Amino acid sequence: VIRDAKHRLCRFLQRDGLFSKPRGCHQAIRLRATGRYSLAKHRLDWQVRTGKKLGRGKYTVIATAADQSGNVERKTTRRNRRVFRVKSSPHSSAQR
């Protein structure tokens, strides 16, 4: 999970659920996801659990596949990249 920072820098979600300090966008921090393959849909549904909620802002997720032999998908396409926006912070609904 990537959050844009200023001056062409990015902040990456770490294992502890916090974001890293701003760093170059090509210096990604990779997280392991869990998932299940659906034979009916012919697709993998996956998730990453951090135990914390994301705050307001725009985020990007890039999924990269790896098999048991260690072969890693190298290409980033529209199919494995998603941009999404969180419109309200986790604390704003509790205050209202």
Side-chain angles (χ1 to χ4, degrees):
V1 178
I2 306 165
R3 185 171 189 170
D4 291 335
K6 294 181 181 180
H7 306 294
R8 297 186 182 185
L9 296 176
C10 296
R11 297 178 66 196
F12 295 92
L13 187 66
Q14 303 174 112
R15 287 182 191 169
D16 61 2
L18 301 175
F19 281 91
S20 67
K21 292 181 180 179
R23 58 196 297 172
C25 294
H26 293 289
Q27 300 173 341
I29 295 175
R30 298 178 188 268
L31 298 176
R32 185 174 299 265
T34 58
R36 286 197 169 153
Y37 185 75
S38 170
L39 289 172
K41 296 179 184 177
H42 297 288
R43 63 181 256 182
L44 177 70
D45 293 324
W46 56 270
Q47 63 184 354
V48 175
R49 293 188 184 262
T50 62
K52 298 190 179 184
K53 294 184 179 182
L54 296 175
R56 283 179 77 157
K58 183 177 171 184
Y59 299 90
T60 304
V61 175
I62 299 173
T64 305
D67 63 12
Q68 293 177 347
S69 300
N71 300 315
V72 179
E73 178 183 24
R74 297 196 182 271
K75 198 176 207 180
T76 300
T77 64
R78 285 186 291 168
R79 293 184 68 157
N80 60 357
R81 179 184 175 105
R82 292 283 189 254
V83 177
F84 65 96
R85 184 178 305 270
V86 176
K87 293 186 178 181
S88 63
S89 66
H91 302 292
S92 65
S93 61
Q95 293 174 350
R96 292 182 181 179

